């Protein structure tokens, strides 16, 4: 019965070609971006393409504000938080902001909020902008030339002779 300690079952199950198979396939690139705005925003290339699209729609400030808020949440130290909070306020929220976002309750915002910063101080506004992007520009992005062309180039790369040769080599290795 001592032998039973040596038998471990791997949770990873492989398909006939030896590739991991699971119900949670790891999607990449445009396939992953198309599943949710959250997945798009987690991928630097996705953010780049989404920004490119929003720039054409004259609403790039939305994703820039969202990204700035994400970065702000990671800020350590009161002085750094005050500086970043002021930068976000002056860039996106002030009536004189260079890249003003359109959020509810903006008229009630003033610089006094910057005196006592905390990581989630912009959360409600960030959520508004996220929902605006999710229910408005994100669906248009998925139909845009920027997205569709990137998807097409990804598919061409996957179907290139080099990619197929590598897959065949890998398949031979796993099947021996």
């Amino acid at each position: 019965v001592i032998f039973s300690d040596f038998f471990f079952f791997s949770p990873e199950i492989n398909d006939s070609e030896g590739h991991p198979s699971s119900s949670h396939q790891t999607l990449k690139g445009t396939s992953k971006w198309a599943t949710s705005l959250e997945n798009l925003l987690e991928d630097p290339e996705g953010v780049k393409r989404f920004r490119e699209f929003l720039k054409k729609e004259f609403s790039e400030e939305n994703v820039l504000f969202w990204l700035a808020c994400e970065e702000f949440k990671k800020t350590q130290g009161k002085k750094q938080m005050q500086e970043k909070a002021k930068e976000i306020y002056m860039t996106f929220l002030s009536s004189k902001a260079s890249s003003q976002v359109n959020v509810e309750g903006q008229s009630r915002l003033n610089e006094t909020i910057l005196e006592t910063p905390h990581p989630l101080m912009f959360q409600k506004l960030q959520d508004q902008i996220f929902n605006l992007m999710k229910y408005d520009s994100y669906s248009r992005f998925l139909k845009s030339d920027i997205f569709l062309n990137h998807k097409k180039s990804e598919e061409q790369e996957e179907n290139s002779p080099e990619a197929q040769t590598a897959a065949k080599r890998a398949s031979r290795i796993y099947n021996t």
Side-chain angles (χ1 to χ4, degrees), residues 9-163:
F9 294 110
S10 170
E12 189 176 277
I13 298 170
N14 294 327
D15 64 15
S16 62
E17 293 185 7
H19 301 101
S21 88
S22 81
S23 56
H24 304 291
Q25 287 293 328
T26 44
L27 298 173
K28 290 181 185 165
T30 55
S31 300
K32 190 170 184 180
W33 305 347
T35 59
S36 72
L37 179 57
E38 291 89 337
N39 285 340
L40 171 71
L41 294 172
E42 287 173 2
D43 182 341
E45 183 66 23
V47 170
K48 179 181 166 189
R49 301 297 173 167
F50 193 47
R51 279 184 63 185
E52 195 179 321
F53 170 76
L54 291 176
K55 198 178 281 187
K56 289 182 176 191
E57 288 210 333
F58 303 100
S59 59
E60 183 187 23
E61 68 279 356
N62 291 336
V63 74
L64 293 176
F65 173 71
W66 188 88
L67 292 166
C69 291
E70 283 299 292
E71 196 58 38
F72 177 74
K73 290 176 195 174
K74 300 172 193 166
T75 304
Q76 301 290 314
K78 187 176 180 181
K79 184 148 179 62
Q80 287 88 341
M81 285 185 92
Q82 284 176 322
E83 288 170 9
K84 278 201 176 190
K86 184 173 183 169
E87 189 181 315
I88 289 172
Y89 179 81
M90 298 308 283
T91 306
F92 301 105
L93 301 170
S94 148
S95 58
K96 300 175 191 107
S98 55
S99 298
Q100 191 177 40
V101 291
N102 186 10
V103 288
E104 230 175 271
Q106 199 161 11
S107 57
R108 292 190 302 274
L109 281 177
N110 62 46
E111 290 187 52
T112 57
I113 65 163
L114 305 176
E115 292 165 17
T116 54
H118 58 88
L120 301 177
M121 66 187 282
F122 297 116
Q123 189 64 54
K124 280 184 179 176
L125 302 176
Q126 185 186 16
D127 290 345
Q128 281 183 41
I129 291 299
F130 179 84
N131 285 327
L132 178 70
M133 291 188 300
K134 182 175 183 173
Y135 298 109
D136 185 38
S137 34
Y138 173 64
S139 57
R140 284 195 309 280
F141 170 70
L142 295 178
K143 296 172 191 160
S144 73
D145 286 344
I146 291 171
F147 176 80
L148 296 173
N149 290 338
H150 191 74
K151 184 177 179 178
K152 187 187 284 184
S153 70
E154 269 183 358
E155 289 166 354
Q156 286 170 345
E157 280 177 30
E158 285 173 16
N159 295 327
S160 72
E162 297 85 34

